[in-house]
Amino acid sequence: MQTGGVSFWWRDIGLPVPRPALDGDTQADVCIIGAGYTGLWTAYYLKAARPDLSVIVVEKRFAGFGASGRNGGWLTGGFAWSHDRYAQKGEAGVRAMVAAMNGTVAEVLRVASTEGIDADICPTDELMVATLPAQAARMRAETDHRRRWGEEGRVHAIDARALAQRIAIPNALGAMVVEGVARVQPAKLVSGLARVVAAKGVRIVEGTEVTDLSPGLVTTPFGRVRAGVVLRCTEGFTATLPGHRRDWLPMNSAQITTEPLPPEIWAKIGWQNNEIVGDFANAYCYCQRTREGRITVGARGVPYRFGSAIDHDGTPDAETIRRLTAILHRHFPAARSARIDHAWCGVLGVPRDWCATVGYDAATRMGFAGGYVGVGVSTSNLAGRTLADLALGHDSALSRLPWVNRPLARWEPEPLRWLGVRAMYALYAMADRAEAGGGPPSRLARLGNFLTGR
Ligand SMILES: Cc1cc2nc3c(=O)[nH]c(=O)nc-3n(C[C@H](O)[C@H](O)[C@H](O)COP(=O)(O)OP(=O)(O)OC[C@H]3O[C@@H](n4cnc5c(N)ncnc54)[C@H](O)[C@@H]3O)c2cc1C
């Protein structure tokens, strides 16, 4: 089994040939920091609106080094957020946000098709499975909640029998089905997007760490970029930038992949429509069936490292791999004999109130987007479109969505951050153990959420 190496997705296609680093001082209309989905989508829509604009993307390692090249490949149009928190600005805005998010899947598919990005994209459904009575209660509540907030056309519940016709998961009681999602190969999507924006004239400099940023000026060891607009698109890595240590907490998520499974194992599992599959455990998992017929399983790893430290090139610890393998065997016992080919991890950005934000200050002409809490594959597309509108001074439906310019709370200093997140995940694990006996949803998970403001 290989570990780290950034991710299995990069191993699948080979690590990229590095683009040149910055080679001295330069200037641009817009400087974007970070070449993940957020930075690249922003560059894409800026160029689409204004082809004459000079845009530079400054990337510490290479395009797709971060979560964008490591994730679970769930392109869902869903959103990690609390509808109620956004509704403080009015219900209409929240409904507009739901509609905008739901539209992101079609938009990503449209751009991939128009621009010739091959990312193993497969339009499909999301199946969120319940295997215990407490999980079934959460499933019903979540289904009702999303239907109430404008997703009645695409979210519904199915019973165990209907689920069994699609996929065999032991003890499944039913599932929430979300239609109109897609499975992607994340590294193919981000590398394709980088190639497309570079072809449109965006300059991407790699191996170039931003060490300081201020209005109109971005500093790196290899030179400075003077730019009219500066946009920070560093999501889970934001805590490593000066002045931003407590903005977003770098939360860790990890994955494993099996070897490609033979037809006789697939015959037992079903899963013929490549649905993206997760569960309603408190410490939930997310899975996909890949282009080659592998199963990937993702879930939390070591959830958070003291002082907002970040993993080394995606290398997870042995205990995390053991836990992920146990989930694989529990949900897909037919794959028990399959070799685990690769394990990796990455960081995602968690805001203090667990709600994503796009921010832009017209006075300083500095902006940012992120805090997607692990639901960023589609959210980053909406963020990119929105950030582009804001940077260009367009008053649009996007620039008026309720996630724009929300006030940001900061995380507590250490050791409170570490204690809070560790306690939350310990409580989730205890809640899952308590619920395994068949009882109702455990209050311990609610206590964990309360502790961290989730
Ligand atoms: C393991 C895992 C699984 C996930 N699964 C899913 C999923 O299935 N579906 C989903 O919707 N979301 C998922 N997510 C979340 C999603 O991948 C992210 O929200 C999304 O990729 C964020 O994109 P981004 O461009 O904002 O950040 P990133 O992709 O992290 O990009 C940030 C970039 O900034 C660069 N950078 C950092 N610091 C500096 C600096 N000082 N100077 C210059 N550059 C810098 C980094 O090298 C990086 O390339 C997952 C995340 C992880 C970690």
Side-chain angles (χ1 to χ4, degrees):
M1 177 179 54
Q2 189 174 329
T3 57
V6 186
S7 70
F8 162 74
W9 306 118
W10 277 113
R11 180 178 129 192
D12 186 33
I13 57 173
L15 285 170
V17 177
R19 295 182 172 85
L22 188 65
D23 52 357
D25 291 353
T26 189
Q27 54 187 38
D29 295 319
V30 181
C31 178
I32 294 170
I33 303 161
Y37 298 140
T38 305
L40 295 170
W41 279 125
T42 307
Y44 180 82
Y45 291 108
L46 281 168
K47 276 295 204 185
R50 287 270 309 276
D52 59 310
L53 216 62
S54 61
V55 180
I56 183 168
V57 181
V58 184
E59 164 57 47
K60 179 175 170 179
R61 296 289 297 273
F62 59 83
F65 170 76
S68 300
R70 308 186 194 193
N71 62 71
W74 283 38
L75 176 70
T76 61
F79 197 27
W81 66 338
S82 152
H83 296 74
D84 300 330
R85 278 179 201 166
Y86 283 98
Q88 288 158 7
K89 279 189 174 182
E91 270 198 25
V94 181
R95 291 189 183 281
M97 186 85 206
V98 170
M101 273 309 304
N102 285 185
T104 58
V105 178
E107 173 62 7
V108 173
L109 265 52
R110 181 192 71 77
V111 176
S113 152
T114 313
E115 305 287 0
I117 299 174
D118 166 14
D120 301 343
I121 297 176
C122 176
T124 185
D125 290 348
E126 175 182 335
L127 297 176
M128 290 293 292
V129 177
T131 57
L132 288 166
Q135 295 183 16
R138 273 196 292 283
M139 178 191 88
R140 285 190 295 274
E142 174 74 6
T143 306
D144 290 350
H145 180 74
R146 290 182 64 164
R147 289 173 67 84
R148 253 199 327 276
W149 277 105
E151 293 191 272
E152 60 279 8
R154 72 172 203 139
V155 177
H156 63 274
I158 56 173
D159 63 16
R161 189 185 295 197
L163 180 65
Q165 283 166 7
R166 301 174 76 155
I167 190 167
I169 294 193
N171 306 317
L173 301 172
M176 179 178 84
V177 181
V178 184
E179 294 171 2
V181 306
R183 176 212 72 190
V184 305
Q185 204 284 29
K188 282 180 139 186
L189 179 60
V190 72
S191 58
L193 198 51
R195 177 181 47 76
V196 166
V197 299
K200 291 185 187 299
V202 171
R203 182 178 175 199
I204 303 175
V205 291
E206 297 187 336
T208 304
E209 178 174 8
V210 170
T211 51
D212 196 28
L213 65 160
S214 55
L217 189 64
V218 169
T219 306
T220 82
F222 309 123
R224 294 189 298 181
V225 183
R226 292 192 185 282
V229 172
V230 174
L231 303 173
R232 173 168 48 82
C233 301
T234 47
E235 238 262 323
F237 299 86
T238 302
T240 62
L241 287 170
H244 297 282
R245 179 163 283 272
R246 285 162 47 204
D247 289 8
W248 292 326
L249 186 140
M251 184 79 83
N252 191 288
S253 193
Q255 284 176 83
I256 54 169
T257 184
T258 65
E259 62 184 324
L261 304 180
E264 55 275 19
I265 293 188
W266 283 116
K268 289 185 187 150
I269 300 175
W271 205 352
Q272 294 303 310
N273 295 319
N274 297 295
E275 293 93 340
I276 49 178
V277 175
D279 67 23
F280 271 98
N282 291 295
Y284 63 88
C285 73
Y286 51 94
C287 312
Q288 75 150 270
R289 177 178 175 162
T290 72
R291 172 193 81 236
E292 301 172 291
R294 300 169 186 266
I295 297 178
T296 65
V297 176
R300 76 178 165 95
V302 169
Y304 170 70
R305 292 178 161 82
F306 191 85
S308 294
I310 287 175
D311 59 81
H312 177 69
D313 285 5
T315 306
D317 61 297
E319 172 59 15
T320 296
I321 298 170
R322 192 198 60 74
R323 274 201 220 123
L324 292 170
T325 308
I327 295 172
L328 170 78
H329 293 171
R330 189 166 69 243
H331 285 339
F332 308 105
R336 199 171 261 279
S337 58
R339 191 179 65 237
I340 308 296
D341 260 1
H342 203 128
W344 70 101
C345 64
V347 284
L348 42 104
V350 179
R352 186 67 186 86
D353 67 356
W354 298 72
C355 292
T357 308
V358 176
Y360 187 74
D361 180 348
T364 60
R365 304 185 75 198
M366 292 182 82
F368 66 90
Y372 311 129
V373 197
V375 195
V377 177
S378 48
T379 318
S380 56
N381 172 271
L382 185 66
R385 280 184 274 151
T386 309
L387 215 40
D389 271 7
L390 290 163
L392 294 171
H394 294 168
D395 178 19
S396 66
L398 294 180
S399 69
R400 275 177 265 132
L401 287 172
W403 69 331
V404 174
N405 285 335
R406 303 170 54 245
L408 282 185
R410 308 186 81 204
W411 284 92
E412 289 75 4
E414 296 293 21
L416 292 176
R417 262 200 324 273
W418 186 84
L419 286 170
V421 179
R422 287 296 177 124
M424 180 183 84
Y425 275 101
L427 286 163
Y428 286 173
M430 285 161 70
D432 281 331
R433 279 198 296 275
E435 291 173 0
S442 164
R443 290 190 185 174
L444 293 169
R446 242 188 284 161
L447 176 61
N449 289 341
F450 173 76
L451 270 183
T452 52
R454 192 173 187 175

